[in-house]
Structures are given as C-alpha cells and as structure tokens.
Amino acid sequence: LLNRSSDLLKTLEGMVDGRITQVYLGVSGRSLHSMVSEVNRSVDNTKPITKDLIDLIIHEASSSPIKNHDTVDIVPRAYYVDKVNTLNPAGQFGSSIKIKVNLIVAKPSLKLNLNRVMTMNIPVKDYIVTPLAVGEQILSVSDRELGCMLVDMGAETTTVAIYKNKVLVYLNTLPLGGRNLTRDVMIGLNVMEE
C-alpha cells in the first residue's frame, strides 16, 4: 500500500509540476446519512441579524453529540425570522430566528479508515462529502429548485440525495449496490460472473 501511495503521489506531482502539501478526502460509505437539527433563538429586534450570529447558531445546531456518529458536514436547510421562511436572514430585523440544518454524519471509523489509507504523511486539509460534491457537479440549479433525487450506485452501496427548493432535504446510504445485482443475476441465470 505504501509503494502504491507514493507512486500515486509522484504521478500527481508530475501532473501539477510541483509538490502536493495537503489533500482533500472524499467521504462516502455505509454509515453516511443526514439528520435534521434546528435551533430557535430570541434576538434583539432593534439590531440586524449578523452573519456571525448565524454561524454561531449553525455551530450550536451541530454541537450536540450524536451517539456513535461524528458530524462530517453541516448543510443549512432553512432559515426563519419571526416564523417567516427567508433565504438569507443576515441584515434582517426580528425578535426570533430559527435555523434548520442537515447534519451529515457517519461512524467515526469512516474517517479513521480514510486516514489510515493516507500513508504519505500529507495532512488532510478537509473532508468533502462525496454525494454532495457529485450533486453540485451534475445537478442544475433548476433541478435542485424543482426537486429531484440523485442516486449514486456503487459496487457495495447506493447513496440517495433528495433536493427541494435548492437545498438538500435528505441523504442516506443503502447497503445495496451493483455487486448485489450481479450476484442475483448469476444465481437466477446460473451463470458465472464473467
């Protein structure tokens, strides 16, 4: 594994004509899913809602520990000022703010296994939730606004991401993939995989 990793690093450094000093790791796997969390807070209605306050509330929404899971990412889902849905509460005035977020969570072993593969002594800059990155690349803004379901089927798992009103509303990973379908065909037709 070490030789393959260092060969990959050399190949990539040759492509960029320089040294690679940090990496981003894509996160996906069986335990990856979303959970909704929300925070309601009273605010001073004589002062505008600030980005710092919004960030603090989003952090608060993700600060409660989730049994046997780590938070991998936080995706804002909806903002309400005085119970009225708004796209961006920054700069608005009101007496209350509610923020709903999707916590993208996974078992701690997922990150540990990713880090174990990184045997090249290069620090991980950040973790990218792979299904979200795929959605950003292949879905149009109108797809996400009107509502759609993105299904990413791999060999062992299938990830489902549902979007509506431009935001992620559901993400889950199913323990069923293309390999399961191939095995069913092999058994049903009594043929070899080849």
Side-chain angles (χ1 to χ4, degrees), residues 1-65:
L1 186 61
L2 182 60
N3 288 339
R4 293 168 81 190
S5 297
S6 61
D7 289 346
L8 174 62
L9 181 62
K10 286 177 188 174
T11 301
L12 292 173
E13 287 179 339
M15 291 176 168
V16 297
D17 197 27
R19 281 200 74 235
I20 295 175
T21 58
Q22 296 176 330
V23 295
Y24 291 90
L25 291 181
V27 178
S28 60
R30 286 180 188 241
S31 66
L32 191 72
H33 64 280
S34 65
M35 299 175 66
V36 178
S37 178
E38 67 179 59
V39 173
N40 293 294
R41 181 174 288 178
S42 296
V43 293
D44 182 350
N45 63 2
T46 64
K47 296 180 182 176
I49 296 169
T50 64
K51 178 155 180 12
D52 289 341
L53 176 63
I54 294 166
D55 291 343
L56 181 69
I57 294 171
I58 289 173
H59 178 72
E60 186 180 321
S62 66
S63 63
S64 298

Side-chain angles (χ1 to χ4, degrees), residues 44-89:
D44 182 350
N45 63 2
T46 64
K47 296 180 182 176
I49 296 169
T50 64
K51 178 155 180 12
D52 289 341
L53 176 63
I54 294 166
D55 291 343
L56 181 69
I57 294 171
I58 289 173
H59 178 72
E60 186 180 321
S62 66
S63 63
S64 298
I66 301 162
K67 187 176 182 182
N68 298 324
H69 286 81
D70 286 342
T71 300
V72 180
D73 201 356
I74 305 161
V75 181
R77 183 172 173 165
Y79 303 98
Y80 300 88
V81 174
D82 291 338
K83 299 182 182 178
V84 177
N85 192 339
T86 181
L87 291 176
N88 183 2

Side-chain angles (χ1 to χ4, degrees), residues 63-128:
S63 63
S64 298
I66 301 162
K67 187 176 182 182
N68 298 324
H69 286 81
D70 286 342
T71 300
V72 180
D73 201 356
I74 305 161
V75 181
R77 183 172 173 165
Y79 303 98
Y80 300 88
V81 174
D82 291 338
K83 299 182 182 178
V84 177
N85 192 339
T86 181
L87 291 176
N88 183 2
Q92 295 185 26
F93 292 84
S95 58
S96 69
I97 182 171
K98 176 168 85 170
I99 299 179
K100 282 186 175 183
V101 298
N102 286 309
L103 302 177
I104 310 300
V105 299
K107 290 187 177 178
S109 59
L110 189 61
K111 275 189 180 178
L112 293 172
N113 285 328
L114 280 172
N115 288 332
R116 189 174 140 255
V117 172
M118 292 303 301
T119 57
M120 300 172 281
N121 295 325
I122 298 175
V124 175
K125 182 168 184 172
D126 201 2
Y127 296 89
I128 305 296

